[in-house]
Amino acid sequence: MVAKSGSDSENTTYRTAIIPVTLSGASYRLAHDSCHSAALLWNQGVDWVHAQWKAERSPSKYDIQSFLNSLPLQDRPLHTHTTEIIAHDLDEAIATSRTNHKNGMKVRAPWVKKNYRPLSFSKGYGWRISKNQLHLSLGRGRPRIDLAVPTVLDSTTNKKVDPDLWGEMQLCWDQDHRRFSLHIPYQTVRESSHGNAITAIDEGIINSMALATWVDDKTVDVTIVNGREARAIKRQRNKAVCQLQRKISRCKNGSRKHRRLVMAKKKVQGKAKLMLRDFDHQVSRKAANHVLAHKTDRLVPGDVRGIEKHTKAKGRISRHGRQQLSQWSRGRQERYLSEKTGLDLDLLNESGSTKTCPACLTRNRPSGRHYRCKNPICGFTCHRDAVGAINILQKAIYGEYVPIRPDTKVRVTYLRAVERWSPDQRKAHHLVQCRKARALSSAQNRALSEASQISKPKLANSSTSTDSSVLD
Ligand SMILES: [Zn+2]
């Protein structure tokens, strides 16, 4: 799905809220048919563009638009703006493929025949609110899609966003959850961090992020965000998918049972996907709070991009470890953090950062989550991930590992990334879940329960504990 982001000025930006919607029978069928027609229009556009290229003409986006608008009315049962947006999307896709080709990637111009496409509705024309209902127009003289006005919450302030601030929305079919959802971009205030501090980030699987910033000459603040919830979600999903896959492999391709099992698998995967996205937002929010509180203007994460490559090296890491690494959503967490703080990431080679002692630069092999320096004169002890973050911080400031002063105070804060919902969100979720549960047939329920459904992680408040270790 397309998440549109951009900015009009320094202080405003756009975010996209994704809201599952329940449509009435007639609206549902209408939405289904329209998504299909939109895809057919796209396909016609693709064919036409390819024909133009063969004739050595290069059509602009307005040429594509006027071609689509010249098609007979029964071929485009959509709002004119929706058709226009399809033309512009096609032009954009062609431009993207050209840029990627220039950058040496193996790509083709759009050619795949689509079966389903999201519907776009422009503000004021495509969508309109009246009498507490949201109307999505399919053009003059045609029935429209009506639904209850959704509640959009600003993810920063958690306040309701006025529909005046909504932009061009999209009605998308969510394949994993087998339901429609509205993607509503809204204008919001951009958060940004101003100051002159440097924050280093050490990323890991067990502790998603450890952030270190100097408060003054003698104190370094370390925030460690625990990633246990993500491990639990992934482990349960992997297990459920594995069991279903085993069953799928035993039944005939295309049979009713096969179809049901595939659907159950998609459901499990879709649910885990949403939970993991939420988790990444929790991690990056907690990290962003640290960054904003310390007035950082330079973010330096350790560069771990190479690690994923070890997934292919034979015998390097265990099978289990390789699966963990390839499912590590570090890139998305970094992107979210960058969006939440308005800072670019300045990657730094982190080799040896977790092994080197910050106080005497002796190399130790840490075992467990605690770091203990084996140098008898030093004897530095600290949380293992705090060590990595402090070393990266020193390297970011001085260009190499420089020992910290022996009287440095390391203040460590532990945070757990767990989901916390606003009452409105919980209510909305509950509504959708209840309807979904009722809609499920008993056969689907059986298939789901066989696949040991993913259970929600505990909704406890984030537990915070602070401890500090002082160097001798
Ligand atoms: Zn040491």
Side-chain angles (χ1 to χ4, degrees):
M1 309 284 146
V2 197
K4 283 178 186 105
S5 62
S7 64
D8 281 347
S9 69
E10 277 279 300
N11 294 322
T12 58
T13 181
Y14 285 96
R15 284 217 188 90
T16 306
I18 300 174
I19 299 161
V21 288
T22 13
L23 299 172
S24 70
S27 289
Y28 188 95
R29 278 188 292 278
L30 205 56
H32 168 82
D33 291 341
S34 306
C35 283
H36 190 54
S37 319
L40 293 180
L41 263 183
W42 167 277
N43 293 348
Q44 291 205 47
V46 169
D47 286 344
W48 182 76
V49 167
H50 279 270
Q52 292 290 307
W53 287 338
K54 268 210 182 110
E56 293 191 352
R57 278 189 292 264
S58 53
S60 73
K61 80 174 172 188
Y62 298 105
D63 295 335
I64 304 173
Q65 185 181 319
S66 51
F67 163 73
L68 288 186
N69 278 329
S70 72
L71 290 171
L73 267 177
Q74 68 265 22
D75 277 6
R76 45 187 180 94
L78 306 166
H79 194 276
T80 330
H81 286 186
T82 309
T83 316
E84 267 169 30
I85 293 161
I86 293 174
H88 296 184
D89 280 354
L90 178 55
D91 184 69
E92 219 168 272
I94 294 167
T96 310
S97 73
R98 280 190 182 142
T99 334
N100 288 343
H101 186 77
K102 239 180 234 165
N103 294 337
M105 282 161 77
K106 262 192 172 175
V107 282
R108 277 175 77 175
W111 61 282
V112 176
K113 289 277 177 288
K114 288 187 192 285
N115 220 351
Y116 229 60
R117 238 194 89 80
L119 299 169
S120 301
F121 299 95
S122 60
K123 186 178 181 170
Y125 302 93
W127 66 264
R128 199 174 292 165
I129 290 176
S130 73
K131 288 180 195 155
N132 274 332
Q133 274 210 316
L134 176 67
H135 306 295
L136 305 176
S137 170
L138 296 171
R140 191 172 293 170
R142 292 193 198 93
R144 59 193 182 191
I145 301 167
D146 294 329
L147 52 150
V149 180
T151 312
V152 177
L153 293 176
D154 192 313
S155 56
T156 320
T157 58
N158 229 354
K159 283 192 186 120
K160 215 175 142 182
V161 183
D162 195 76
D164 288 341
L165 296 171
W166 298 357
E168 174 194 308
M169 61 174 77
Q170 277 191 314
L171 185 66
C172 304
W173 175 249
D174 186 342
Q175 221 178 355
D176 288 323
H177 299 94
R178 313 201 58 74
R179 68 181 181 210
F180 280 103
S181 54
L182 270 181
H183 292 214
I184 306 178
Y186 58 92
Q187 215 176 20
T188 178
V189 182
R190 177 196 290 274
E191 285 177 285
S192 57
S193 177
H194 293 292
N196 49 14
I198 298 177
T199 296
I201 308 172
D202 184 32
E203 291 161 338
I205 291 173
I206 295 166
N207 286 304
S208 297
M209 278 187 179
L211 300 106
T213 316
W214 284 102
V215 185
D216 52 48
D217 294 349
K218 285 181 183 167
T219 321
V220 59
D221 253 0
V222 179
T223 303
I224 296 172
V225 188
N226 192 292
R228 214 176 337 181
E229 309 293 331
R231 275 206 303 171
I233 298 166
K234 282 177 197 164
R235 193 174 290 166
Q236 273 166 325
R237 177 201 56 194
N238 292 347
K239 228 172 139 181
V241 166
C242 171
Q243 281 178 359
L244 278 170
Q245 196 58 50
R246 205 170 296 150
K247 277 185 190 153
I248 289 170
S249 70
R250 275 202 296 262
C251 59
K252 218 173 117 195
N253 197 351
S255 68
R256 227 161 101 181
K257 192 171 180 198
H258 185 270
R259 222 168 45 227
R260 273 182 199 149
L261 287 168
V262 168
M263 213 142 94
K265 188 175 103 178
K266 268 189 185 168
K267 213 156 234 172
V268 169
Q269 283 172 328
K271 205 167 170 185
K273 204 164 112 186
L274 276 192
M275 283 158 80
L276 287 171
R277 194 185 64 185
D278 182 64
F279 169 81
D280 285 346
H281 271 302
Q282 301 292 342
V283 169
S284 53
R285 167 46 59 202
K286 289 190 165 69
N289 286 346
H290 174 103
V291 169
L292 294 169
H294 288 86
K295 300 200 186 319
T296 301
D297 85 326
R298 195 172 154 221
L299 263 186
V300 191
D303 189 358
V304 280
R305 279 175 305 179
I307 286 188
E308 285 105 306
K309 288 199 185 114
H310 294 332
T311 51
K312 277 176 194 144
K314 47 180 181 299
R316 224 20 200 296
I317 309 165
S318 70
R319 208 177 108 112
H320 174 71
R322 284 201 300 270
Q323 188 184 31
Q324 266 198 346
L325 275 178
S326 67
Q327 291 175 354
W328 183 16
S329 56
R330 168 194 60 78
R332 187 164 63 177
Q333 286 168 9
E334 284 177 359
R335 184 161 56 81
Y336 285 170
L337 179 62
S338 171
E339 281 166 7
K340 285 185 169 81
T341 55
L343 296 171
D344 288 333
L345 301 176
D346 186 5
L347 295 175
L348 191 81
N349 180 11
E350 58 137 33
S351 64
S353 66
T354 48
K355 294 194 182 96
T356 311
C357 168
C360 68
L361 302 188
T362 314
R363 279 197 159 220
N364 297 288
R365 266 202 115 189
S367 59
R369 298 323 293 170
H370 215 76
Y371 184 91
R372 189 177 297 279
C373 181
K374 297 215 170 73
N375 185 348
I377 314 156
C378 174
F380 171 82
T381 63
C382 193
H383 194 284
R384 179 172 164 180
D385 291 276
V387 169
I390 293 168
N391 278 323
I392 295 171
L393 180 62
Q394 290 295 85
K395 199 175 177 183
I397 296 171
Y398 301 105
E400 56 179 344
Y401 296 137
V402 169
I404 54 174
R405 294 222 317 247
D407 57 345
T408 305
K409 200 174 172 213
V410 183
R411 283 201 304 219
V412 183
T413 311
Y414 295 97
L415 296 173
R416 265 178 71 199
V418 286
E419 53 184 327
R420 279 159 101 187
W421 283 1
S422 70
D424 276 344
Q425 269 176 313
R426 183 169 303 287
K427 223 167 87 187
H429 178 79
H430 188 68
L431 254 169
V432 172
Q433 289 300 98
C434 287
R435 286 202 184 141
K436 239 168 69 183
R438 255 182 271 133
L440 281 178
S441 70
S442 56
Q444 273 172 306
N445 275 329
R446 241 181 292 129
L448 270 175
S449 61
E450 276 171 20
S452 69
Q453 236 182 319
I454 292 181
S455 59
K456 284 226 154 277
K458 270 178 278 152
L459 289 156
N461 286 345
S462 67
S463 58
T464 309
S465 62
T466 309
D467 80 71
S468 39
S469 57
V470 185
L471 290 173
D472 299 316

